[in-house]
Amino acid sequence: MTGETGREPAGTSPPGGVRPVIGLAVGRGTGPELADVFERVLNALAARRPDGTDGTDGTGVEVVRSPRLYHSYVSLRRGHDVAAVQRLTAEDADHYEAWCRDLAERGTTAVFRTAINAQSLYLVRQRLRAVKVDLLADGGRSLLLVRDQAQGFYTGENAHTAGEVTRTLTFSREITGAVVEHALERARRAWPDGRIGRIVMAYKFHLLDGAFDAWVADLSERLGVRIEVFQPDTVNRNLLAHGLPDRTLLIAGNEWADIMHVVLLDRYGSDRQENRCTENVCLDPALRGLVEYQTVHGSADDLAGRDLVNPVATVRAAALVAEHHAGCPGAVAAVEAALAVLDERGVRTPDLGGRHSTSDVADALVDALGVTGPDTVPRDPVLVGGT
């Protein structure tokens, strides 16, 4: 059964043994190193699935890389003036948008993207109406964060005059409605019994002449749910004083959610930003169903070419793509078990207090998965043990 766009729903394998196609977009900085890790782990999971099957039934995975190496902010600023930065930013955004649209049209449901320049990225997110989704759970409590990346300051456009930059941004009733409806859909998926503890929206709505909270009131009535709209500082105060109830659906403006994501991870996820991956869902009807996975950390240009960037978030993204888009049930659990083995053995990159390289961690992880194949060389157990 296909979705409204005629594509298979996310989380299913293509019919008839058709190989799923996964997009891979690479940015500068440590992007090429992490792209290699992603492709290696994804292929390993597809070649020897965690459920015991070996992937020889024709349902392996095909990874398609974007032909463009996208800029990071550091690479843009290196040797380029403002006019050149503007031009290259627009070129990257136009190319990435067109590439995503082409993938979606051909039936691709997932893209992994390493970090790229934020200005290019948010131009694309505005055009594709993207939301970031992250389910945080710790100690029996859960919180679903849905970050509105389709409107607001981050998605604005710049006009330059002498000594001044004017940024113009937009909010709309239509996009707000699409974001809220998708958030409710994801909450029902996260909590199938239908119980949502609270629905909170954190936006700087006082700046919008009463229009935004009027839209939300109409949505609340139409959808038959109670939606509370708060200023971000009020949400912060409540979070510090009382915490948020279990099963809070938190729909947030991009600016506040960007800053607070690491705090929410600390409160609800017990995880480091460097180890975390998230998904971005495109709400543009032409791309409905395309999910972009990314690491939470940035491009880490200072580590480029040194084989020292932490690959854990990339490995987790590969597991999510394998399980939800490449027909590899159990991939996430298998990777988490392998990461636990590595943690126990002290196999980690320097940012986590270890002394292993990116390649060392990837090698040890593939070994811990029990995967063997033509591209997998068995490693010295001393190295895997981190001693």
Side-chain angles (χ1 to χ4, degrees):
M1 177 177 177
T2 56
E4 294 178 1
T5 61
R7 294 194 295 273
E8 287 293 312
T12 62
S13 300
V18 177
R19 296 176 68 199
V21 176
I22 305 301
L24 176 56
V26 186
R28 302 191 189 221
T30 55
E33 297 161 72
L34 292 175
D36 290 344
V37 170
F38 172 82
E39 196 162 2
R40 181 181 179 194
V41 174
L42 179 62
N43 283 330
L45 290 167
R48 184 69 60 81
R49 298 175 182 171
D51 65 356
T53 59
D54 63 7
T56 57
D57 57 358
T59 56
V61 60
E62 177 184 355
V63 177
V64 176
R65 291 200 184 206
S66 170
R68 186 178 181 91
L69 181 65
Y70 301 100
H71 278 282
S72 66
Y73 183 75
V74 172
S75 70
L76 271 176
R77 291 294 291 134
R78 188 181 295 127
H80 296 124
D81 60 14
V82 172
V85 170
Q86 286 181 284
R87 175 179 56 80
L88 292 169
T89 293
E91 289 176 1
D92 276 354
D94 291 347
H95 187 280
Y96 187 50
E97 179 193 1
W99 185 69
C100 286
R101 289 188 182 278
D102 181 63
L103 285 179
E105 187 177 345
R106 292 189 283 130
T108 298
T109 62
V111 171
F112 175 67
R113 174 191 48 74
T114 72
I116 67 174
N117 175 45
Q119 192 172 356
S120 302
L121 180 59
Y122 282 106
L123 285 171
V124 176
R125 286 175 170 170
Q126 179 183 25
R127 298 167 188 173
L128 303 186
R129 300 186 176 188
V131 293
K132 185 186 296 292
V133 182
D134 201 357
L135 179 63
L136 310 178
D138 182 53
R141 300 175 306 155
S142 58
L143 177 145
L144 180 62
L145 175 64
V146 178
R147 175 174 158 188
D148 179 356
Q149 302 176 116
Q151 53 188 354
F153 176 79
Y154 283 19
T155 60
E157 298 203 10
N158 298 334
H160 290 260
T161 57
E164 186 173 273
V165 180
T166 301
R167 191 161 180 82
T168 304
L169 57 95
T170 302
F171 283 88
S172 84
R173 177 196 292 267
E174 179 189 2
I175 292 176
T176 302
V179 170
V180 171
E181 289 182 14
H182 183 75
L184 289 170
E185 175 190 328
R186 294 303 295 265
R188 295 183 185 108
R189 197 185 309 172
W191 305 308
D193 61 10
R195 182 177 68 83
I196 302 175
R198 193 176 187 186
I199 304 172
V200 174
M201 295 186 73
Y203 283 78
K204 201 68 176 173
F205 63 93
H206 283 180
L207 299 176
L208 302 176
D209 299 325
F212 188 88
D213 42 323
W215 299 340
V216 175
D218 290 345
L219 278 168
S220 181
E221 182 177 359
R222 176 168 64 83
L223 298 172
V225 294
R226 183 178 182 224
I227 305 174
E228 301 173 88
V229 186
F230 293 108
Q231 293 283 347
D233 61 324
T234 302
V235 178
N236 290 349
R237 185 170 64 248
N238 291 341
L239 179 65
L240 292 172
H242 313 294
L244 295 173
D246 181 33
R247 296 195 181 192
T248 292
L249 170 58
L250 180 54
I251 307 168
N254 205 12
E255 301 77 16
W256 177 83
D258 184 22
I259 295 167
M260 288 297 294
H261 194 184
V262 67
V263 177
L264 294 170
L265 281 174
D266 179 68
R267 285 296 183 99
Y268 288 88
S270 298
D271 203 358
R272 290 172 58 99
Q273 177 178 329
E274 294 80 4
N275 292 340
R276 191 80 177 181
C277 69
T278 56
E279 62 176 272
N280 304 288
V281 181
C282 302
L283 301 184
D284 181 315
L287 289 92
R288 191 78 175 186
L290 182 69
V291 181
E292 178 204 68
Y293 294 85
Q294 66 162 102
T295 61
V296 175
H297 64 73
S299 56
D301 291 69
D302 58 318
L303 298 179
R306 298 172 60 190
D307 199 25
L308 291 177
V309 63
N310 181 350
V312 171
T314 297
V315 166
R316 283 177 163 157
L320 285 169
V321 170
E323 180 149 337
H324 296 300
H325 302 271
C328 301
V332 171
V335 163
E336 289 303 316
L339 287 171
V341 170
L342 267 59
D343 186 59
E344 181 181 329
R345 295 173 175 174
V347 181
R348 55 180 68 98
T349 47
D351 65 299
L352 298 178
R355 61 179 186 83
H356 294 79
S357 69
T358 306
S359 300
D360 292 338
V361 175
D363 290 341
L365 180 114
V366 170
D367 282 349
L369 286 171
V371 177
T372 58
D375 297 322
T376 304
V377 179
R379 307 301 297 180
D380 188 318
V382 172
L383 172 63
V384 174
T387 58

